Amino acid sequence: MAAADILPKPLMADSLPEPQPRPAPSAAEALTPLIRSTYRTSELCFFVNGRRVTISNPNPDWVLLDWIRAQDNLKGTKLGCGEGGCGACTVVLQTIEKGRQLRHSAVNACLFPLVGVDGKSLITIEGLGTVARPHPLQERIAKMHGSQCGFCTPGIVMSLYALVRNSYRDGKFHLSASDVEMQGHLDGNLCRCTGYKPILEAAKTFIVEDLKGDLVEDSDSFPLVDDDVGDKPLQTSANGNGCGASSSGSCGRPGGCCRDPSTSSSRSSVARMSSRDSTATLATSMNSSEKASLSNAFAPYDPTAESIFPPSLWKYEQRPICFGDGRKIWFRPTTLEQLVELKDAWPSAKIVGGASETQIEIRFKKSEYRVCVYASDIEELSSFKGPETDDELRTLSELSIPGNMPLSKVEELCATLFLKLGPRASALQALGKQLRYFAGRQIRNVASLAGNLATASPISDAAPALIAAGSTVTIRTRREGSYDVPLSTFFVKYRTTQLPSSGVITHIKIPIPSPETFETTKAYKQAKRKDDDIAIVTAGFRVRLNQDGVVQQATFAFGGMAPTTTVATMAQEAVLGKPWADGNTKEAAISALLEDFNLSFGVPGGMAQYRKTLTLSLFFRFWNESVAELGLTNAGYENIREIHREISTGTRDHFVSSGTKVVGREIPHLSALKHCTGEAEYVDDMPLQKGELHGAIVLSTKAHAKLLAVDWSIALEMPGVVGYIDKDSVPHGSNDWGPIRADEPLFAIDEVHSHGQTIGLVYAETALQAQAAASKVRVTYEPLSTILTIDEAIKAGSFHEHGKQLKKGAAIQGPLDDIFAKCDHVFEGTTKLGGQEHFYLETNAALAIPHIEDGSMEIYASTQNLAENQVFVAQVLGVPMSRVNMRVRRLGGAYGGKESRSTPIAMLVAIAARKEHRAVRLMLNRDEDIATSGQRHPMQCKWKIGTDDNGVLQCLDIDIYNNAGYSLDMSGAVMDRTCTHIENCYNIPHAWIRGWLCKTNTVSNTAFRGFGGPQAMYFTESFMSAISEGLGVDVDELRVRNLYKEGDWTPFLQQIDIDFHVPTMLDQLSTKADYENRKKEVGIFNSKNRYRKRGICKIPTKFGLSFATALHLNQAAAYVRIYEDGSILLHHGGTEMGQGLYTKMCQVAAEELNVSVDQIFNKDSQTDQVANPSPTAASSGSDLNGMAVKNACEQLSERLVPYRKQFGDNAPMSVIAHAAYRDRVNLAANGFWKMPKIGYKWGNYKDPLPMYYYFTQGVAITEVELDVLTGDHTVLRTDIMMDVGRSINPSIDYGQIEGAFVQGQGLFTMEESLWTRQGELFTRGPGTYKIPGFSDIPQVFNVSMLRHDSSGNAISWKHLRSIQSSKGIGEPPLFLGSTVFFALREAVKAAREMNGVKEPLFLNAPATPEKLRLAVGDEFAKRAAVIPREGETNFFVRIED
């Protein structure tokens, strides 16, 4: 199709009424001549997984992911966040580089412009392999338990695949452990389930065993990045013969493993830790027998089996392309001249590279760009020819970097030239360092310096380094040609530069000083997370000295301190002409910095004191490093260097249970291969139904307001829109819902009570059309006063009805005043903990399919709670529950967030489907999901505790407040568990515990893994720390003195029995982890290091298993059918969300029926197979459903006894079942189980039944290192021991332990939710809300399970009466992530002690870098203090306050 044919016809002069003057030319008028002369086609031609694709005039609103997911056979690439922050959408683009070499670039399909694939080869997860024939990388990740929910897995596989393909040269793979883990190839991928460890292990063993690589850690301080190396030898030639190098090599698997003990010096560095001087050892995750069996289990890797680069693309010639419609036009010029002509013809045309900024503006800021120009295929803006000869290197005085060169290539270029030029290229080293931690690898592969500078972000990573180096930008316009602008004057004001609207940045020029110049440049960045995070403060520093060490030039540039990147003018002037190494010079600069950046308390972005402190700290670090590196002093600078993690290692004490055939075996997750190949189907992957509609919700933009009017008219006129539903679409009295109390309106009526409350739903023919229409609905409000925080709720007396309390000892009779009077010491305090976003990778989704004939409805929903969905869908449809069938095959993560908050999604699609008699689908965008689904409850507690002189606890009086939000949801049940875990593992003879549910104008908070337990035990350990410090008693000794003993009673009057193993695990783990010696080493380290401090701690946990006070939920049913061919169909009420429930249930059934797991088919969970299923929650999924499955199988086994006698115990089930069928034996059985002995009733202080069926327990030891100057930290080592009973599947349980720990680590140290003053949640996606990434896990991560007592005797758990004597494990380990927090607390204490701070330490979670840095209490923090003016408030709100 000709490009000109797609445009609307330009207006003709005679069509205009007279005498009205002619309007300014439209885009069509201005650009049509250029289109007709240059842009001859609107077709995109590319290859997908080896198949040629041609698209004519595609939808201009589509990004690459939209096109991919519109294809029926390409559903493996997922939408996780829509902003390039999670990696679920990662695909690989093959492109030709100079020298006919291939480059494999991992990119975010959710951002990448569709036009950018023209002339390229696109590889999606489907192009690697299938379940029948998986790629060895897919197979290894699957079989080594690197996948749980699986939603993130395709993206991770693709990132690793790009790394592997780029590493092939000279006939072999050049990969190291550093490449996998340290160079940022996975920093753009997130996983919420696994804790990352098994993924890294799978990748490393794949390199060693499949690729025959060597995990050698490069010794260079700034290693090369291998992204740009060609891999042409890896390709199969067009005639089918393999390449010479690869086909001649063996494809067998070498013996051994990267984790085998080795005497090779080349591998010794894998175990080395820069932050660990004495105790690190090479750790392995599997014993030798398991490694041997795994090596034999994997198919060998054959490089020639990789898909070839399409031969026709070698000859492809780029063509200028134009496509679009009357709303939006895309251009793809192929030369710089064409780009300049376009900008001259239409100056407001948006230049797009990787769209990492543009697509964010379109998606979240609703920006509309009429004309977009894709510039990344213009060779002049990306090609680079650098110095090659020694003379060229010696005379190099300026490096001109092409403006559109991908940042990953710029990073490599900087590293390469720094190695060649040495210290005179320190500016390049500084820039490369900043780029390494800029965004994720996928974004760095497409983003550019020109784009980074043109967006003029005030927190740019690159700009401070470039300004410090004295860089200039080259700008070109059609009228003025090319000219240079100093970067120091380029930024005019917030998001505004000197770049003219018709101009293009073509190059960035960086001066290179001569070898004789005495100069150094450095750059620094501080963010909440090291990898892929937006900076809080960035800095670039350069000083040039004369031969006497006197400052001749100085540039100190900062980001994050002003509306633009700016320089510290007074600090620069303060050092000019002064001896750089003189301490007085340093002090003058620090004093001047305080004047340069005098931030107000309410400064946009908040953190005023922290940001000011960072300017001083980063300068101080630069001064020390530069003085040492320039040889101005003999003193070392070891103590002020930044913290850098090393390669991670770890162990699992694999153990196979005896006495069983299937249960206890480490079977991989049954869907793992499907996860890794993209064949696992989630709700939004399901094929489109005929006539299907797509929904988009209309949400409140006010936290509390009257609804005056809702105008749908504009939305209804938009293309593709079919209709809407709102409060008038449900039967009278059916609008309210809730898991415990129906107090939450599905649609707002008259008033909104939270920002993000649902007002209505628009539905249209496509999801993009529905979303566009939803944004056009006009809502008129009358604002009302808001309550956001716990303190505000307490002051206003705003609470949900609750009233539950626990009393023990003297509290049963009345107040504890007399008991406190007898205590030797009484401690009081207030402790706070922020909330936590679930951040499951698959957002809430549902698909409703109506059946017209009988008025029934089938709904596929991503939910943990099929029954609750069914109840309320039936309510809003006005039909019996039997007419609603809820179904779910798998969830892409949940963690409690889909227990109740999935319900309204199902209700919405059901109402719309019934109204239109058409299927309706809805999948929330990430920001919508976070804004509406609630969080872990932010909490605050006011405690008073009494002890004797030895610190033995005597009595506790405590008020616990949670921020419930605007509706009750499950906040009361969460508070119940909080109250029952407030003592953790310690005996408190007298206790009065009260819970309060604060009613606020925030999103309704909900269940989250741990369900209030982690918050409670965090409060416990906080007041234990206060007691320890108040009495001067070692906190470990204090914990031991107060541990429960058998026969003690909990605050809810449940007796501690023989199953209490915490003392045993404390002893065993202490010995195993060499805790006491390491504790001493930490003290020695801290005495020798002022600016780096370590902390270590050991904490136990005890977590109760059962739906505590919802007794009716402690039941389950299962339905097992044996077909006459011996195959078995299994249904139960549990849902699979990554925890391996389906796998465990198949193991249970296989064990009971004496068959292999392969013979069991666990179909999707659905309410027309198992009625009234309990939610899969409370870590009870295996207990409840496993016992129900066992019960059903026992019935069947009993019926088959005669046939086993007839044919033998080992006869195949096909023989036995066929014979039984012929004898008319019922081969179907319904199983049922209800949890015995429990039944606690609140207020019964005489003879209550137990609250919990049993307790899962554990202990963790964690050691950390803190950068005192910035608040940054790394986790050096974590050792965990869990009592999981007799594990049904140890590897799945190890994954649960590691994943829960890392999630807990995020809760207590990193994940911070912030609100605006207007009540809008600010942290609504990976750009602003940071969960742990690959580089945040413990550097040494060891996990073990309790096997024997302290005397070496095997422990029996038969008394549990649980399924196979196992214990629930999903939630209990999460609290152990707090060991990172409490170890950091110890490190802060050490720093405060060195700084002479005497006041008690108050540190609330999450322990972000800001909180840690300011808690140090040093001179910099004091001097940077910011005093709020009268009435001035912080920019953001923390609702736990």
Side-chain angles (χ1 to χ4, degrees):
M1 179 184 291
D5 294 339
I6 68 171
L7 294 177
K9 301 303 180 184
L11 295 173
M12 304 302 294
D14 59 4
S15 66
L16 296 174
E18 296 294 344
Q20 180 178 337
R22 183 181 178 88
S26 67
E29 287 181 303
L31 296 170
T32 295
L34 195 58
I35 293 172
R36 295 192 183 282
S37 64
T38 306
Y39 297 88
R40 304 298 180 86
T41 183
S42 63
E43 289 185 342
L44 306 183
C45 299
F46 56 101
F47 281 77
V48 180
N49 299 327
R51 294 179 180 270
R52 184 181 180 89
V53 174
T54 300
I55 311 175
S56 296
N57 194 31
N59 186 333
D61 293 323
W62 273 4
V63 292
L64 177 56
L65 182 63
D66 294 319
W67 181 86
I68 290 173
R69 290 192 58 79
Q71 314 311 304
D72 290 338
N73 59 343
L74 297 179
K75 300 295 188 180
T77 307
K78 309 300 184 188
L79 173 61
C81 68
E83 54 181 287
C86 73
C89 64
T90 303
V91 294
V92 171
L93 288 178
Q94 287 181 311
T95 53
I96 303 171
E97 305 264 294
K98 283 188 176 180
R100 289 178 61 81
Q101 294 182 339
L102 289 179
R103 178 183 178 87
H104 295 76
S105 299
V107 302
N108 293 119
C110 73
L111 298 179
F112 194 79
L114 180 58
V115 66
V117 298
D118 182 74
K120 301 177 179 66
S121 174
L122 169 66
I123 303 176
T124 70
I125 189 68
E126 292 85 0
L128 270 63
T130 64
V131 169
R133 291 193 61 186
H135 188 285
L137 178 60
Q138 295 170 317
E139 182 186 30
R140 190 169 287 271
I141 291 176
K143 291 184 177 179
M144 292 188 69
H145 314 283
S147 175
Q148 288 186 22
C149 87
F151 202 82
C152 67
T153 307
I156 291 172
V157 170
M158 296 311 295
S159 289
L160 287 170
Y161 181 73
L163 168 64
V164 167
R165 293 296 299 268
N166 282 333
S167 72
Y168 194 83
R169 60 184 185 273
D170 304 325
K172 63 186 295 188
F173 291 92
H174 296 262
L175 279 171
S176 69
S178 173
D179 292 314
V180 174
E181 193 170 346
M182 308 296 290
Q183 301 307 312
H185 292 280
L186 291 172
D187 59 7
N189 293 90
L190 296 176
C191 174
R192 196 56 153 162
C193 295
T194 64
Y196 301 104
K197 178 181 163 186
I199 301 171
L200 292 171
E201 290 176 345
K204 293 173 187 176
T205 58
F206 176 75
I207 291 169
V208 169
E209 297 179 7
D210 280 300
L211 307 186
K212 296 175 281 297
D214 199 7
L215 292 185
V216 181
E217 176 59 39
D218 297 328
S219 59
D220 300 321
S221 60
F222 198 99
L224 287 172
V225 180
D226 288 330
D227 262 17
D228 198 32
V229 298
D231 66 347
K232 185 180 177 185
L234 187 59
Q235 310 303 313
T236 302
S237 61
N239 62 14
N241 298 323
C243 64
S246 61
S247 61
S248 63
S250 168
C251 63
R253 309 179 67 78
C257 170
C258 66
R259 296 163 298 174
D260 283 333
S262 172
T263 57
S264 169
S265 61
S266 67
R267 297 207 184 160
S268 62
S269 61
V270 177
R272 191 174 63 243
M273 294 175 57
S274 66
S275 300
R276 159 84 46 219
D277 299 323
S278 59
T279 63
T281 57
L282 180 62
T284 66
S285 288
M286 293 183 289
N287 56 41
S288 58
S289 62
E290 185 178 358
K291 281 183 283 189
S293 65
L294 272 180
S295 294
N296 296 328
F298 296 121
Y301 176 68
D302 179 6
T304 64
E306 296 283 13
S307 59
I308 68 169
F309 184 72
S312 63
L313 288 182
W314 290 106
K315 304 173 184 178
Y316 178 80
E317 293 185 5
Q318 290 186 338
R319 310 153 300 159
I321 296 172
C322 172
F323 65 87
D325 55 27
R327 296 177 304 102
K328 187 172 185 177
I329 308 170
W330 271 97
F331 289 90
R332 198 281 299 272
T334 58
T335 66
L336 178 57
E337 185 61 34
Q338 291 171 1
L339 175 62
V340 172
E341 285 179 346
L342 269 170
K343 287 293 286 181
D344 186 67
W346 194 257
S348 62
K350 183 72 172 180
I351 297 179
V352 179
S356 55
E357 181 81 12
T358 304
Q359 193 58 32
I360 300 297
E361 294 171 349
I362 293 172
R363 189 179 186 103
F364 300 107
K365 299 179 182 178
K366 308 303 179 185
S367 300
E368 296 182 357
Y369 297 107
R370 292 285 313 277
V371 179
C372 290
V373 183
Y374 182 70
S376 288
D377 287 341
I378 299 174
E379 187 174 351
E380 298 131 287
L381 292 179
S382 59
S383 62
F384 174 82
K385 186 178 186 307
E388 297 177 355
T389 67
D390 289 342
D391 284 343
E392 288 175 332
L393 287 168
R394 186 170 54 254
T395 59
L396 182 67
S397 61
E398 182 180 77
L399 182 68
S400 182
I401 299 176
N404 222 31
M405 189 178 195
L407 295 182
S408 54
K409 285 189 176 184
V410 177
E411 179 190 356
E412 180 188 352
L413 173 64
C414 290
T416 301
L417 288 178
F418 178 73
L419 291 176
K420 293 179 179 179
L421 295 172
R424 62 187 286 241
S426 62
L428 302 185
Q429 184 188 36
L431 177 60
K433 174 187 169 188
Q434 296 298 85
L435 296 182
R436 161 63 182 84
Y437 296 107
F438 173 83
R441 169 68 59 167
Q442 295 92 322
I443 287 179
R444 295 198 296 276
N445 282 337
V446 295
S448 65
L449 282 177
N452 182 270
L453 297 175
T455 59
S457 169
I459 48 175
S460 167
D461 291 7
L466 291 169
I467 289 175
S471 305
T472 58
V473 292
T474 301
I475 296 172
R476 180 171 170 180
T477 67
R478 188 177 185 187
R479 290 176 171 78
E480 298 177 0
S482 293
Y483 60 94
D484 291 344
V485 174
L487 197 57
S488 58
T489 63
F490 181 70
F491 303 108
V492 179
K493 58 183 180 179
Y494 179 71
R495 296 285 186 175
T496 306
T497 70
Q498 288 196 51
L499 180 67
S501 59
S502 61
V504 176
I505 298 176
T506 62
H507 290 82
I508 294 88
K509 298 177 180 178
I510 305 174
I512 307 295
S514 65
E516 298 79 23
T517 304
F518 207 32
E519 175 180 302
T520 189
T521 304
K522 289 186 177 295
Y524 306 93
K525 170 184 176 178
Q526 183 58 43
K528 292 182 178 180
R529 186 177 71 190
K530 187 75 172 178
D531 283 340
D532 189 10
D533 195 4
I534 298 170
I536 297 171
V537 172
T538 55
F541 301 101
R542 179 179 64 90
V543 290
R544 177 175 292 183
L545 314 178
N546 63 20
Q547 294 304 309
D548 296 324
V550 174
V551 179
Q552 290 181 318
Q553 296 179 17
T555 306
F556 307 149
F558 289 90
M561 298 303 295
T564 67
T565 303
T566 187
V567 294
T569 307
M570 287 185 277
Q572 291 171 178
E573 293 176 353
V575 301
L576 288 176
K578 296 180 180 177
W580 180 241
D582 191 326
N584 292 325
T585 303
K586 174 189 68 178
E587 175 55 33
I590 288 172
S591 297
L593 281 171
L594 291 170
E595 297 184 53
D596 278 313
F597 303 115
N598 187 24
L599 302 182
S600 64
F601 184 76
V603 64
M607 299 183 283
Q609 183 182 4
Y610 181 48
R611 287 154 67 183
K612 286 181 64 178
T613 303
L614 283 175
T615 63
L616 309 184
S617 294
L618 296 181
F619 172 80
F620 179 75
R621 172 162 279 148
F622 169 69
W623 184 86
N624 277 274
E625 289 183 343
S626 61
V627 164
E629 291 182 16
L630 293 172
L632 302 178
T633 177
N634 293 325
Y637 65 98
E638 178 75 11
N639 290 347
I640 55 92
R641 73 170 191 263
E642 295 178 83
I643 288 177
H644 292 286
R645 68 176 283 118
E646 295 298 331
I647 296 167
S648 62
T649 59
T651 63
R652 291 175 171 179
D653 67 334
H654 290 260
F655 177 85
V656 178
S657 300
S658 59
T660 55
K661 294 182 179 180
V662 183
V663 167
R665 299 305 189 263
E666 297 191 328
I667 298 172
H669 195 294
L670 292 180
S671 294
L673 265 178
K674 296 177 187 176
H675 297 159
C676 293
T677 61
E679 294 170 77
E681 187 179 76
Y682 302 82
V683 171
D684 199 47
D685 299 333
M686 296 180 63
L688 291 177
Q689 306 296 304
K690 184 177 180 180
E692 181 179 305
L693 298 171
H694 299 262
I697 50 178
V698 178
L699 302 174
S700 166
T701 59
K702 304 295 180 183
H704 191 202
K706 289 181 179 180
L707 273 180
L708 301 182
V710 181
D711 182 1
W712 302 88
S713 59
I714 298 176
L716 294 176
E717 293 172 359
M718 296 186 69
V721 174
V722 174
Y724 73 95
I725 55 175
D726 65 0
K727 60 184 175 59
D728 298 320
S729 304
V730 295
H732 178 72
S734 299
N735 190 51
D736 291 339
W737 74 279
I740 296 175
R741 184 186 305 140
D743 69 337
E744 180 172 338
L746 176 63
F747 298 110
I749 300 177
D750 300 330
E751 197 170 305
V752 292
H753 299 276
S754 170
H755 194 290
Q757 186 176 345
T758 300
I759 293 172
L761 177 93
V762 180
Y763 45 88
E765 300 292 344
T766 71
L768 288 179
Q769 288 173 337
Q771 291 161 9
S775 69
K776 299 298 184 181
V777 176
R778 296 292 175 253
V779 183
T780 306
Y781 304 92
E782 180 183 314
L784 300 172
S785 60
T786 60
I787 297 174
L788 301 179
T789 70
I790 289 177
D791 285 346
E792 289 172 354
I794 294 173
K795 183 177 180 181
S798 180
F799 300 104
H800 293 283
E801 183 181 343
H802 184 59
K804 292 182 182 178
Q805 54 188 323
L806 293 175
K807 296 181 180 182
K808 178 187 176 184
I812 296 174
Q813 279 72 47
L816 292 172
D817 297 350
D818 292 342
I819 305 298
F820 276 110
K822 296 175 184 177
C823 293
D824 296 318
H825 304 277
V826 176
F827 301 88
E828 296 184 69
T830 298
T831 306
K832 303 174 184 179
L833 173 64
Q836 183 180 29
E837 168 54 38
H838 301 88
F839 217 102
Y840 31 71
L841 268 291
E842 177 206 29
T843 58
N844 272 290
L847 168 64
I849 304 173
H851 298 290
I852 309 303
E853 176 188 357
D854 54 15
S856 66
M857 185 83 68
E858 193 151 43
I859 301 180
Y860 294 84
S862 181
T863 180
Q864 299 171 244
N865 198 344
L866 292 168
E868 183 182 293
N869 278 235
Q870 184 185 27
V871 167
F872 288 105
V873 167
Q875 172 183 298
V876 294
L877 294 182
V879 300
M881 289 174 61
S882 59
R883 299 293 178 93
V884 177
N885 183 29
M886 297 300 307
R887 303 182 65 171
V888 61
R889 179 172 293 177
R890 61 175 58 84
L891 290 74
Y895 323 111
K898 296 176 182 177
E899 186 175 350
S900 66
R901 305 313 298 178
S902 60
T903 302
I905 309 303
M907 297 164 71
L908 291 171
V909 294
I911 297 167
R914 184 189 61 176
K915 180 179 179 181
E916 299 297 334
H917 303 299
R918 296 168 68 176
V920 177
R921 184 189 305 246
L922 171 61
M923 184 175 186
L924 299 185
N925 289 330
R926 174 63 56 186
D927 61 320
E928 294 171 337
D929 190 280
I930 292 180
T932 60
S933 64
Q935 300 188 338
R936 183 186 300 280
H937 285 75
M939 290 197 186
Q940 181 184 131
C941 81
K942 302 178 187 297
W943 49 266
K944 178 181 180 182
I945 190 160
T947 74
D948 66 12
D949 279 329
N950 295 317
V952 177
L953 305 179
Q954 301 298 312
C955 57
L956 171 68
D957 186 90
I958 190 166
D959 286 286
I960 309 171
Y961 302 87
N962 72 22
N963 193 322
Y966 76 96
S967 70
L968 182 64
D969 196 81
M970 287 186 282
S971 299
V974 169
M975 181 56 74
D976 291 347
R977 185 171 284 271
T978 303
C979 291
T980 60
H981 285 70
I982 196 62
E983 91 291 11
N984 194 4
C985 298
Y986 313 116
N987 184 38
I988 306 176
H990 309 279
W992 190 358
I993 302 161
R994 298 170 295 277
W996 305 83
L997 316 180
C998 296
K999 186 175 184 179
T1000 61
N1001 297 117
T1002 67
V1003 62
S1004 188
N1005 290 313
T1006 189
F1008 196 141
R1009 193 179 199 170
F1011 207 72
Q1015 295 99 311
M1017 292 181 278
Y1018 158 76
F1019 293 148
T1020 311
E1021 297 303 334
S1022 294
F1023 62 65
M1024 291 295 280
S1025 294
I1027 295 168
S1028 165
E1029 291 154 20
L1031 297 181
V1033 176
D1034 180 84
V1035 70
D1036 293 317
E1037 176 60 29
L1038 182 71
R1039 291 183 177 115
V1040 171
R1041 290 177 188 176
N1042 286 285
L1043 282 177
Y1044 275 127
K1045 299 178 181 61
E1046 188 177 341
D1048 287 341
W1049 297 87
T1050 68
F1052 45 96
L1053 306 183
Q1054 182 167 338
Q1055 193 167 33
I1056 299 297
D1057 59 19
I1058 60 171
D1059 190 49
F1060 187 64
H1061 299 297
V1062 166
T1064 300
M1065 289 188 286
L1066 283 168
D1067 291 341
Q1068 290 186 16
L1069 192 63
S1070 293
T1071 301
K1072 195 171 187 177
D1074 195 24
Y1075 177 67
E1076 293 301 330
N1077 285 332
R1078 287 170 55 207
K1079 194 173 178 181
K1080 293 176 184 175
E1081 289 178 3
V1082 165
I1084 295 171
F1085 178 92
N1086 289 340
S1087 67
K1088 296 179 178 179
N1089 293 274
R1090 184 173 187 84
Y1091 300 108
R1092 287 189 298 146
K1093 297 294 181 182
R1094 289 183 182 173
I1096 189 170
C1097 79
K1098 175 177 60 177
I1099 291 178
T1101 187
K1102 169 183 64 65
F1103 191 89
L1105 268 292
S1106 77
F1107 287 98
T1109 53
L1111 183 63
H1112 66 284
L1113 295 181
N1114 293 287
Q1115 61 174 305
Y1119 190 22
V1120 181
R1121 281 157 283 189
I1122 304 176
Y1123 293 86
E1124 66 166 314
D1125 65 351
S1127 63
I1128 299 162
L1129 179 63
L1130 169 63
H1131 278 102
H1132 53 80
T1135 60
E1136 174 58 58
M1137 40 195 173
Q1139 84 282 38
L1141 179 65
Y1142 279 16
T1143 305
K1144 287 185 174 182
M1145 294 304 95
C1146 286
Q1147 288 181 267
V1148 170
E1151 185 74 33
E1152 294 297 324
L1153 295 174
N1154 194 27
V1155 298
S1156 69
V1157 169
D1158 294 339
Q1159 291 177 254
I1160 313 288
F1161 176 41
N1162 192 159
K1163 202 175 180 182
D1164 59 344
S1165 302
Q1166 46 187 303
T1167 55
D1168 69 354
Q1169 295 293 329
V1170 176
N1172 312 310
S1174 294
T1176 307
S1179 301
S1180 63
S1182 293
D1183 278 339
L1184 296 177
N1185 295 288
M1187 292 298 274
V1189 170
K1190 184 175 186 291
N1191 178 250
C1193 291
E1194 286 172 342
Q1195 297 174 45
L1196 292 169
S1197 294
E1198 185 176 352
R1199 297 172 198 168
L1200 297 177
V1201 167
Y1203 304 96
R1204 292 199 184 279
K1205 288 180 180 179
Q1206 179 182 352
F1207 298 108
D1209 288 340
N1210 294 322
M1213 181 60 78
S1214 57
V1215 172
I1216 293 172
H1218 181 72
Y1221 166 72
R1222 300 283 293 191
D1223 287 346
R1224 296 182 296 176
V1225 173
N1226 182 4
L1227 293 179
N1230 283 296
F1232 180 78
W1233 188 73
K1234 62 179 181 180
M1235 192 175 283
K1237 84 178 184 181
I1238 60 172
Y1240 182 87
K1241 291 188 188 235
W1242 291 81
N1244 181 354
Y1245 301 118
K1246 184 178 180 182
D1247 55 354
L1249 291 172
M1251 175 90 70
Y1252 297 111
Y1253 194 45
Y1254 60 79
F1255 296 98
T1256 297
Q1257 303 143 60
V1259 175
I1261 295 171
T1262 292
E1263 183 178 355
V1264 301
E1265 186 167 304
L1266 173 68
D1267 183 340
V1268 173
L1269 287 174
T1270 64
D1272 207 4
H1273 75 271
T1274 185
V1275 183
L1276 299 176
R1277 176 174 171 177
T1278 291
D1279 297 83
I1280 301 173
M1281 178 176 284
M1282 292 297 301
D1283 166 21
V1284 300
R1286 188 170 173 266
S1287 175
I1288 295 174
N1289 187 319
S1291 280
I1292 285 178
D1293 287 346
Y1294 284 124
Q1296 289 292 289
I1297 294 167
E1298 292 163 354
F1301 177 89
V1302 172
Q1303 204 169 69
Q1305 176 186 348
L1307 165 65
F1308 292 109
T1309 66
M1310 182 183 301
E1311 301 180 39
E1312 184 176 43
S1313 295
L1314 299 171
W1315 270 256
T1316 68
R1317 289 282 156 192
Q1318 293 71 43
E1320 179 180 5
L1321 181 59
F1322 173 75
T1323 46
R1324 297 198 306 273
T1328 51
Y1329 186 87
K1330 296 299 172 180
I1331 70 172
F1334 278 90
S1335 294
D1336 297 304
I1337 67 172
Q1339 295 185 38
V1340 177
F1341 200 177
N1342 303 321
V1343 180
S1344 59
M1345 296 179 185
L1346 180 66
R1347 308 289 183 194
H1348 53 78
D1349 62 22
S1350 296
S1351 301
N1353 302 312
I1355 295 176
S1356 170
W1357 287 274
K1358 290 182 179 179
H1359 60 278
L1360 290 179
R1361 293 193 294 165
S1362 62
I1363 183 65
Q1364 296 291 334
S1365 300
S1366 66
K1367 289 188 173 186
I1369 194 59
E1371 296 171 286
L1374 188 139
F1375 168 68
L1376 295 179
S1378 72
T1379 55
V1380 180
F1381 172 90
F1382 286 102
L1384 285 168
R1385 194 179 188 283
E1386 293 297 314
V1388 170
K1389 279 172 53 183
R1392 288 165 67 91
E1393 183 178 343
M1394 186 166 281
N1395 290 325
V1397 179
K1398 304 296 184 183
E1399 295 82 12
L1401 172 59
F1402 297 102
L1403 183 65
N1404 291 315
T1408 59
E1410 176 192 12
K1411 292 180 183 177
L1412 292 169
R1413 177 62 185 89
L1414 298 182
V1416 164
D1418 66 331
E1419 192 64 25
F1420 288 166
K1422 293 176 182 176
R1423 294 173 67 177
V1426 178
I1427 300 173
R1429 297 186 294 271
E1430 184 176 354
E1432 189 177 22
T1433 58
N1434 206 330
F1435 186 76
F1436 288 119
V1437 177
R1438 294 181 173 96
I1439 65 171
E1440 67 270 22
D1441 289 342

